[in-house]
Amino acid sequence: MTTPRPARANLAAWAGLALLTVPVFMVAIDMTVLFLATPTIAAALEPTATQQLWMLHIGDLVGAGLVLTAGRLVDRFGPRRLLVISALAYGSANLLAAYAPSIEYLIAARALIGFSAISMIPAGMALLRRMFTSDAQFSRAVAIFMSAFSGGVAFGPPIGGALLENFWWGSIFLLNVPIAFLVALLAPTLPKVPGSGAGRIDTVSVLLSLTAVALVVYGGQELASRNVGLPQVAAVAVGLVAGLLFIRRQLRLTAPLLDPALFASRSFTVGLVAILLVILATAGADMQFAQYLQVGLGHSPFTAGMLLIIPATLSIVATVLAPSLLRWVRPSAVMGTGVLIAAGGALLMAVLLQGEASVAPALAAVSIIAAGAAPVFALGAVIIVNSAPAAQTGSASASTDVAGSLGNTIGLATGGTIAFVSYQSRLGGTLPAGLDEATRELSLQSIGSALAAARSLPDELGVPLHAAAIDAFAVATRNTYAFATLGLAVLAAVILWGLRHARIDSDPGVEEVDGDSPPSGHDESDDEGRTLPDDAPVLQAPTATGPARAE
């Protein structure tokens, strides 16, 4: 079936896209720059170990727990309004963080930063869907939008390093203040997309979603850092129960925070699963490799950060180029083939770590993984958003953030466990004879402890302990890449089967309609192929308890 060609995006739309990438880039930088600044902040504000952990993760916990609420607010009140409010709040929160007089104030400011940033990506995605009505141009715009996030992650450490070398630690927050206010000032140049204005925000659903996601993410991060205890396990358990209660409540509400009817689309569901699984499979390996560059290959933290720009840059390029391949093949082929290539890179890395890997082959393998996985994020986001009614773009986009947060949490917990068990098992059998029991136990806890112990010992014990610890860490890293290989292979099968009917139109003259999802843009069609006017009601997918409803 064909419909008239959608309007092509004009110069103003592409300028709007450039503006929308700015807050995404800022948020991504904020995720990575703080790791580099932690030692400097610790020296200035003297946090306890627990306070340091909260400083790092409080923004992520608040953001992950409230992002579904943010998506619903975007749909109800309009994306441009929410973008302005978020940008102003984000700039103000960063200003408070830059001049925080104590660690308690900084933790509070970090929570405000996480809270204020949650609407930016759902609002940006909702605006893009209205600015780019052609599927081909929309997919390209989303790819550029997503690449801004990868760019921020890649260039956060070098930017942070330059600021910390010349200014005080607060400069990493102060940098975002004028940029955020400039985004708010220029936001009125973006199209005014009205919100639905319908349906109240259910407070109980908000609290359940916040509890579910925040506790699962917090508990998972703690377990991933091998801080295993009853409070951590209880946090995950309570979070899962809250998640089940949240789902049950959404099925009963007439205006749910996240409409369960969205999951009636196989493309929507498989797209979310793909984003969750690709992060789950690779998160542990990514964490290990960043450390392996330093402890295994002997590079300084700054040099390691610069080297990691290489795979990040290739990921950006692959993200932007992925939509161009849709001229010849379906999205499932682009994404599935890319994931298979990434699995090959993970397998290559596991093989390299059987011996003494050098930096060039290791970076090549990691770059293959990054480039192969990139289409999942670029095209997966398009599939997810296209599978939802236009009035629910914010909620659909927010669901990708939740999938990413859960994938990262589960991936770090799983990969961290694999690495820890592998490290202990290998080192336990190769520790040099003559070590006292305290040193043995300390060395088995982490590679950092083992290397510190080796430096304090005489050469006849320190040298073999150092070599054994490096070897054990290499084995641990190898096993996380073996897990990544398996996980990526499973993901490729899920994508190739689950998205085999999904379409993203690449022909500027024709709109192809996937049976799983409505076409994007302003024009909708009824069951008989008639083009409906812009103000016609949008039919949602049928729910399990009744027919489709119009909004």
Side-chain angles (χ1 to χ4, degrees):
M1 177 178 89
T2 62
T3 61
R5 182 173 65 186
R8 305 289 288 172
N10 55 23
L11 183 61
W14 293 106
L17 170 61
L19 175 61
L20 290 174
T21 61
V22 175
V24 178
F25 189 80
M26 280 194 308
V27 171
I29 285 180
D30 182 63
M31 292 178 62
T32 56
V33 72
L34 198 60
F35 291 103
L36 196 66
T38 296
T40 306
I41 294 174
L45 301 182
E46 299 180 346
T48 65
T50 301
Q51 288 174 327
Q52 185 168 299
L53 181 66
W54 278 108
M55 176 191 71
L56 289 171
H57 296 306
I58 186 65
D60 296 335
L61 296 179
V62 172
L66 291 175
V67 69
L68 287 177
T69 305
R72 186 70 177 87
L73 290 172
V74 166
D75 293 335
R76 183 178 180 185
F77 297 108
R80 194 176 76 177
R81 180 182 301 174
L82 265 294
L83 179 64
V84 171
I85 294 172
S86 291
L88 290 174
Y90 188 78
S92 300
N94 272 278
L95 185 61
L96 293 174
Y99 293 101
S102 67
I103 188 61
E104 291 82 7
Y105 279 94
L106 181 56
I107 291 172
R110 286 280 299 156
L112 290 175
I113 289 172
F115 175 77
S116 60
I118 57 177
S119 296
M120 290 185 179
I121 292 180
M125 196 72 75
L127 285 165
L128 290 180
R129 191 171 186 187
R130 298 304 180 97
M131 291 159 57
F132 298 89
T133 57
S134 159
D135 267 6
Q137 289 193 320
F138 176 63
S139 62
R140 190 168 293 110
V142 170
I144 295 172
F145 187 72
M146 298 298 291
S147 70
F149 188 86
S150 299
V153 171
F155 294 102
I159 291 173
L163 289 171
L164 292 170
E165 189 172 329
N166 295 282
F167 305 100
W168 94 113
W169 61 265
S171 62
I172 66 172
F173 299 107
L174 198 62
L175 175 68
N176 286 332
V177 176
I179 299 175
F181 289 157
L182 182 63
V183 169
L185 181 66
L186 296 178
T189 63
L190 297 168
K192 184 177 181 180
V193 179
S196 65
R200 65 184 180 86
I201 303 297
D202 181 58
T203 305
V204 176
S205 293
V206 172
L207 293 176
L208 286 174
S209 69
L210 174 61
T211 301
V213 179
L215 286 183
V216 171
V217 170
Y218 167 73
Q221 287 179 341
E222 290 291 286
L223 294 174
S225 62
R226 297 182 289 279
N227 187 10
V228 181
L230 182 59
Q232 292 74 33
V233 175
V236 174
V238 173
L240 292 175
V241 171
L244 292 174
L245 293 175
F246 172 79
I247 294 171
R248 182 181 179 185
R249 188 170 183 85
Q250 303 317 293
L251 291 170
R252 297 180 175 182
L253 292 174
T254 56
L257 196 62
L258 178 64
D259 193 349
L262 292 173
F263 292 90
S265 166
R266 184 173 64 197
S267 295
F268 179 88
T269 304
V270 176
L272 284 180
V273 170
I275 289 177
L276 185 149
L277 286 182
V278 73
I279 298 176
L280 188 158
T282 57
D286 290 342
M287 176 181 65
Q288 284 294 116
F289 184 69
Q291 298 176 68
Y292 184 75
L293 282 173
Q294 300 172 63
V295 300
L297 299 177
H299 294 289
S300 67
F302 178 76
T303 302
M306 295 299 292
L307 289 173
L308 288 173
I309 291 179
I310 297 173
T313 301
L314 290 176
S315 176
I316 295 171
V317 173
T319 300
V320 174
L321 293 181
S324 301
L325 300 177
L326 298 177
R327 299 180 183 219
W328 301 283
V329 292
R330 296 180 180 182
S332 60
V334 177
M335 296 166 65
T337 302
V339 171
L340 285 175
I341 291 172
L347 180 60
L348 174 60
M349 189 66 181
V351 172
L352 289 173
L353 288 168
Q354 294 277 13
E356 294 185 6
S358 59
V359 66
L363 276 176
V366 172
S367 297
I368 291 172
I369 300 171
V376 174
F377 300 103
L379 303 183
V382 176
I383 289 171
I384 290 167
V385 172
N386 273 357
S387 299
Q392 291 182 302
T393 299
S395 295
S397 176
S399 67
T400 64
D401 293 340
V402 174
S405 295
L406 293 178
N408 189 60
T409 297
I410 300 171
L412 288 176
T414 305
T417 300
I418 291 172
F420 182 62
V421 172
S422 301
Y423 173 80
Q424 278 198 330
S425 176
R426 178 74 170 194
L427 185 59
T430 57
L431 282 171
L435 290 178
D436 61 81
E437 190 61 30
T439 303
R440 290 177 62 89
E441 289 300 320
L442 184 64
S443 299
L444 288 171
Q445 292 307 306
S446 70
I447 180 68
S449 298
L451 296 182
R455 287 192 293 269
S456 67
L457 293 171
D459 286 349
E460 59 269 20
L461 289 177
V463 171
L465 174 58
H466 183 279
I470 295 297
D471 172 70
F473 193 81
V475 170
T477 305
R478 181 195 68 195
N479 290 346
T480 61
Y481 277 99
F483 172 77
T485 303
L486 178 61
L488 291 170
V490 171
L491 173 58
V494 170
I495 290 173
L496 291 171
W497 178 82
L499 296 178
R500 64 190 185 280
H501 298 306
R503 298 284 194 281
I504 299 175
D505 180 34
S506 60
D507 184 350
V510 178
E511 279 280 314
E512 289 186 291
V513 181
D514 177 14
D516 274 328
S517 60
S520 66
H522 297 291
D523 294 333
E524 304 286 344
S525 301
D526 64 8
D527 290 339
E528 298 178 6
R530 296 187 297 266
T531 302
L532 301 180
D534 287 350
D535 57 354
V538 177
L539 285 179
Q540 298 181 6
T543 65
T545 57
R549 64 178 185 273
E551 287 191 344

